[in-house]
């Protein structure tokens, strides 16, 4: 969310696409006052609001033909497609970079995941807290003679998002010069 939030802050028209069967789980996570009563779509999560300010949102079922058709119509005018599905999920829907690059040759397509789209760990689920030890960051935390210590913040998510944002900007500059889009694969582990 941080990558495209930055782009929205700088004036990009960002559309966040959520599933039709379940909205983004962070919408109801980390609620102010821990009060989860009332309407599920109440958007009281400060965590969600901070990461999604400036974005518009819509629901699409990308597993359906109609949902994919609607996404294709959005991509006709898009500069960037950013996705953070579990590696392989979007390709199985027929929406991977290789599926789209011929129809949208100027599209900058970025995939963001814990361990990248290829390799021995690509199947593992990842969140910021699991990336600290996985990246080696905890090797420099804690106190001498004691176990490593988590830093207490979810900074890894933001750090990977800033790397992703920088990569998108570089790809857009390249596209301006060459006329061609490109694929970017960002691993939270490597960014950290």
């Amino acid at each position: 969310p941080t990558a495209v939030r930055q782009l929205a802050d700088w004036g990009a028209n960002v559309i966040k696409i959520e599933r039709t069967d379940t909205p983004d789980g962070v919408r109801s996570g980390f609620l102010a006052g821990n009060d989860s009563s009332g309407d599920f779509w109440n958007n009281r999560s400060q965590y969600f609001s901070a990461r999604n300010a400036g974005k518009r949102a819509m629901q699409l079922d990308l597993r359906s033909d109609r949902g994919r058709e609607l996404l294709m119509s959005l991509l006709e005018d898009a500069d960037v497609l950013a996705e953070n599905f579990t590696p392989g999920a979007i390709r199985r829907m027929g929406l991977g970079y290789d599926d789209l690059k011929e129809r949208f040759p100027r599209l900058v397509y970025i995939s963001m995941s814990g361990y990248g789209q290829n390799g021995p760990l690509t199947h593992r689920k990842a969140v910021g807290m699991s990336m600290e030890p996985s990246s080696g960051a905890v090797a420099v935390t804690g106190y001498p003679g004691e176990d490593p210590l988590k830093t207490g913040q979810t900074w890894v998510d933001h750090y990977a998002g800033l790397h992703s944002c920088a990569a998108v900007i570089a790809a857009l500059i390249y596209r301006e010069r060459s006329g061609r889009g490109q694929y970017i694969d960002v691993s939270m582990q490597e960014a950290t």
Side-chain angles (χ1 to χ4, degrees), residues 17-19 21 60-63 71 81-93 95-96 109-117 122-126 183 185-186:
I17 297 175
E18 297 181 57
R19 295 170 47 158
D21 55 348
L60 287 179
D61 180 358
L62 296 177
R63 295 166 293 185
L71 178 63
L81 173 63
E83 66 91 6
N84 67 343
F85 283 97
T86 301
I90 199 157
R91 288 191 302 270
R92 287 189 295 277
M93 289 184 261
L95 299 170
Y109 189 119
I110 181 166
S111 295
M112 298 166 279
S113 62
Y115 298 94
Q117 299 297 305
T122 195
H123 66 282
R124 289 192 178 176
K125 293 188 180 201
Y183 179 70
D185 177 8
V186 174

Side-chain angles (χ1 to χ4, degrees), residues 71-73 75-76 97 100-107:
L71 178 63
M72 292 300 151
S73 68
L75 290 176
E76 292 293 339
Y97 178 70
L100 302 178
K101 68 182 178 183
E102 191 171 314
R103 182 171 174 182
F104 306 105
R106 293 179 50 83
L107 184 67

Side-chain angles (χ1 to χ4, degrees), residues 111-160:
S111 295
M112 298 166 279
S113 62
Y115 298 94
Q117 299 297 305
N118 300 295
L121 301 179
T122 195
H123 66 282
R124 289 192 178 176
K125 293 188 180 201
V127 295
M129 288 184 210
S130 67
M131 288 292 100
E132 283 190 34
S134 170
S135 68
V138 296
V140 295
T141 61
Y143 299 95
E146 295 181 17
D147 290 337
L149 194 61
K150 184 179 170 345
T151 62
Q153 296 292 324
T154 57
W155 60 272
V156 173
D157 296 306
H158 313 300
Y159 205 67

Side-chain angles (χ1 to χ4, degrees), residues 31-108:
L31 291 174
N34 294 322
D35 179 6
S36 60
S37 64
D39 183 10
F40 186 80
W41 288 94
N42 59 17
N43 296 325
R44 288 181 290 162
S45 169
Q46 294 169 340
Y47 189 87
F48 178 86
S49 296
R51 280 139 191 85
N52 293 288
K55 301 176 191 177
R56 296 185 297 153
M58 68 183 298
Q59 291 181 297
L60 287 179
D61 180 358
L62 296 177
R63 295 166 293 185
S64 73
D65 290 339
R66 179 68 179 141
R68 286 190 297 276
E69 286 172 21
L70 289 169
L71 178 63
M72 292 300 151
S73 68
L74 289 170
L75 290 176
E76 292 293 339
D77 296 319
D79 293 305
V80 178
L81 173 63
E83 66 91 6
N84 67 343
F85 283 97
T86 301
I90 199 157
R91 288 191 302 270
R92 287 189 295 277
M93 289 184 261
L95 299 170
Y97 178 70
D98 289 335
D99 301 308
L100 302 178
K101 68 182 178 183
E102 191 171 314
R103 182 171 174 182
F104 306 105
R106 293 179 50 83
L107 184 67
V108 172

